[in-house]
């Protein structure tokens, strides 16, 4: 009975959602867009800016191992009005972004909380106890 009621409720919800107007995407004007395809040496670049504040640009060339090395940046306005900015290098060492938005691991060695040290000590004592009991058997 509960399954039938749940099924009926889901069916009504799906039917009602089909009658709701779909969100219409707002077109965003492209202010600037240039692209330079790779030349004989592999040099290439792209530059893009949209009306809503999104900016993306990069340039690159062929790397030592045949891949593409690139440097670039992108930015976009955030809901609070600040500008989110990311710069990057992509080369033989991988993708390396830089931004104040990215999380940063704590410096190591960082202080180990006392509760962690207590748990490690408890585990050591427990292991010793189990070895003593196992040796008696």
């Amino acid at each position: 009975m509960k399954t039938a009621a749940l099924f009926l409720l889901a069916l009504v919800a799906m039917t009602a959602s089909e009658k709701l107007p779909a969100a219409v995407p707002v077109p965003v004007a492209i202010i600037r867009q240039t692209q330079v395809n790779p030349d004989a040496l592999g040099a290439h670049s792209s530059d893009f800016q949209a009306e809503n504040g999104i900016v993306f640009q990069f340039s690159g060339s062929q790397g030592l191992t045949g891949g593409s090395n690139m440097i670039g940046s992108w930015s976009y306005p955030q809901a609070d009005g600040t500008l989110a900015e990311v710069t990057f290098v992509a080369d033989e060492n991988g993708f390396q972004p830089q931004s104040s938005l990215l999380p940063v691991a704590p410096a190591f060695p960082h202080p180990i909380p006392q509760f962690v040290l207590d748990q490690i000590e408890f585990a050591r004592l427990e292991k010793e106890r189990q070895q003593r009991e196992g040796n008696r058997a």
Side-chain angles (χ1 to χ4, degrees):
M1 179 71 174
K2 289 182 182 179
T3 305
L6 185 60
F7 177 74
L8 182 59
L9 183 60
L11 185 60
V12 169
M14 287 183 355
T15 304
S17 68
E18 291 174 2
K19 295 179 182 176
L20 294 175
V24 178
V26 177
V28 176
I30 305 301
I31 296 173
R32 181 180 69 241
Q33 182 174 9
T34 56
Q35 182 170 334
V36 177
N37 291 325
D39 62 14
L41 300 175
H44 59 282
S45 65
S46 183
D47 188 15
F48 171 89
Q49 182 177 0
E51 177 183 44
N52 61 2
I54 296 173
V55 177
F56 180 73
Q57 54 196 3
F58 71 87
S59 62
S61 61
Q62 186 170 340
L64 298 174
T65 60
S68 177
N69 289 347
M70 295 184 358
I71 61 170
S73 64
W74 71 82
S75 62
Y76 57 91
Q78 299 185 90
D80 66 1
T82 61
L83 190 63
E85 298 178 279
V86 178
T87 60
F88 68 90
V89 172
D91 58 15
E92 289 84 3
N93 297 316
F95 180 69
Q96 304 150 55
Q98 297 283 324
S99 176
S100 61
L101 299 171
L102 299 174
V104 178
F108 196 82
H110 53 80
I112 299 174
Q114 186 59 46
F115 75 91
V116 173
L117 296 173
D118 294 344
Q119 188 65 34
I120 292 170
E121 178 64 12
F122 175 79
R124 184 187 67 77
L125 294 172
E126 185 65 16
K127 185 175 181 180
E128 286 178 1
R129 185 189 63 76
Q130 288 175 353
Q131 287 174 343
R132 281 193 310 271
E133 290 177 0
N135 291 339
R136 290 183 195 167

